[in-house]
Amino acid sequence: MNRRHDPFTLALASLRSRLEQGLHPPGGPIVILDEARRLKLSTTPVREALGWLCGFGLVERGPTGGFLVPRRDPQGLRDLLAFRLHCLDAGLDRTGAVQGRDGFTPRAEAGPDPAALMAWLVRSTGNAALMDAFDRVASQLVAYRRAEARVFPDSDIEAQALADRFRDPVGPGLGEALAAYHQRRIEAAPHLIMAADADRRDAAEET
């Protein structure tokens, strides 16, 4: 069977995208039958996909069965951000002085997207375990990207400055820039959660 049309793959891709975008309210249940109807699938691949997404931290099993969207408090968000920074530090350690190696910079078409640049850094290590850990924490942080624009009016300028650190072999250290980028968000964790909730309410009103 073509994997693109495999029911599990379809369910996994759709559910992961919706959860990363924060379309399901934190603490709320994910009704398997409703999702199966939405996707025009049986309940089996939906249940299997939700079980797999538990491993990514996007879903958790309810105390009486079923699946719930995890609640995120400020400390939980701080922990995610700190762990992503830890993965990036490990990536820098494994790749050496990234900025000083000719040809070892992301392509220009990668743009100034911090998430894409961070993923590039970790994947450049070739370490499967590190890539897996990074992907899991990065997936849980997708829902806060729009919130960052609300909280940090200069987020576009900040993103471009970080991209420049990836590409400038003589500029300030990339490690220090990544640490400052994450520390800013760690300190603003309560505001990011409130902004993400506002984004979710706005999206619900539009639908």
Side-chain angles (χ1 to χ4, degrees):
M1 177 184 293
N2 188 324
R3 293 294 295 175
R4 290 178 298 176
H5 302 291
D6 173 40
F8 169 77
T9 302
L10 291 172
L12 180 62
S14 176
L15 288 165
R16 180 174 179 177
S17 176
R18 290 172 64 82
L19 288 161
E20 287 182 340
Q21 294 175 51
L23 298 182
H24 294 274
I30 300 177
V31 182
I32 293 175
L33 185 58
D34 289 349
E35 294 300 320
R37 287 171 175 164
R38 179 180 66 82
L39 294 166
K40 297 181 172 58
L41 298 172
S42 71
T43 57
T44 298
V46 173
R47 185 178 293 105
E48 291 174 348
L50 288 169
W52 191 90
L53 289 168
C54 283
F56 259 57
L58 292 171
V59 178
E60 62 185 19
R61 294 188 182 276
T64 59
F67 297 92
L68 303 173
V69 180
R71 294 186 183 276
R72 191 74 66 204
D73 58 24
Q75 187 55 50
L77 179 54
R78 292 187 190 105
D79 290 343
L80 289 174
L81 289 162
F83 186 73
R84 184 173 70 176
L85 179 59
H86 176 75
C87 291
L88 294 166
D89 286 341
L92 284 172
D93 288 343
R94 290 188 62 87
T95 56
V98 173
Q99 291 171 297
R101 291 172 57 182
D102 292 340
F104 197 70
T105 54
R107 293 177 300 178
E109 56 264 32
D113 178 12
L117 292 166
M118 292 176 199
W120 166 83
L121 171 61
V122 173
R123 290 193 174 91
S124 70
T125 68
N127 185 305
L130 181 60
M131 287 187 279
D132 183 64
F134 176 84
D135 284 346
R136 288 170 188 268
V137 71
S139 188
Q140 295 176 63
L141 289 170
V142 171
Y144 297 96
R145 289 183 189 171
R146 289 192 304 274
E148 291 180 7
R150 284 182 182 248
V151 175
F152 305 125
D154 64 341
S155 59
D156 288 344
I157 297 172
E158 183 187 35
Q160 185 59 61
L162 185 62
D164 291 343
R165 297 286 71 75
F166 273 87
R167 299 189 174 93
D168 181 2
V170 296
L174 178 57
E176 290 83 353
L178 288 168
Y181 183 92
H182 283 75
Q183 186 59 38
R184 189 185 193 197
R185 283 149 180 77
I186 287 171
E187 292 173 357
H191 303 291
L192 288 170
I193 287 177
M194 287 189 291
D197 289 341
D199 283 334
R200 191 178 298 107
R201 288 192 297 270
D202 290 348
E205 291 174 0
E206 291 174 1
T207 58

